[in-house]
Amino acid sequence: LMMARAAYAALVERNINLGGLIKDNHEDTMVDEMLSYVFAAMGFIFQLGIGFKLPFPLNLALWPFELGEWSVRWLVTSSATIPK
């Protein structure tokens, strides 16, 4: 919603009204809510396209967090198989 409102504000600032769809106040129209759904769908399709994996520069920077996630996952699954 923040990105959609920022895009909406940019359109208002540049006096682009798209045939009357863009009004001066975002509360008078539902275009910003529709834009937020479009941005969410574009993000999901992007994630689906890359297979829900991190792209190159982020996978190196976030590697310690992945290691922590793997260790927590291993601890949870290994403790479930140990009989008490």
Side-chain angles (χ1 to χ4, degrees), residues 40-81:
M42 287 172 33
F44 181 75
I45 290 170
F46 174 76
Q47 289 291 326
L48 191 63
I50 64 171
F52 295 99
K53 293 183 176 31
L54 287 172
F56 167 65
L58 290 176
N59 65 353
L60 293 178
L62 297 175
W63 179 77
F65 296 106
E66 279 192 56
L67 185 63
E69 182 184 353
W70 290 334
S71 63
V72 168
R73 191 179 303 165
W74 180 79
L75 285 170
V76 167
T77 57
S78 66
S79 65
T81 59

Side-chain angles (χ1 to χ4, degrees), residues 25-37:
N25 188 0
H26 69 84
E27 293 181 2
D28 295 337
T29 182
M30 292 184 58
V31 173
D32 56 335
E33 285 87 6
M34 288 185 267
L35 275 175
S36 64
Y37 286 119

Side-chain angles (χ1 to χ4, degrees), residues 12-32:
V12 169
E13 181 180 317
R14 289 170 178 79
N15 292 326
I16 301 172
N17 63 4
L18 299 177
L21 287 176
I22 307 298
K23 304 208 183 336
D24 289 339
N25 188 0
H26 69 84
E27 293 181 2
D28 295 337
T29 182
M30 292 184 58
V31 173
D32 56 335

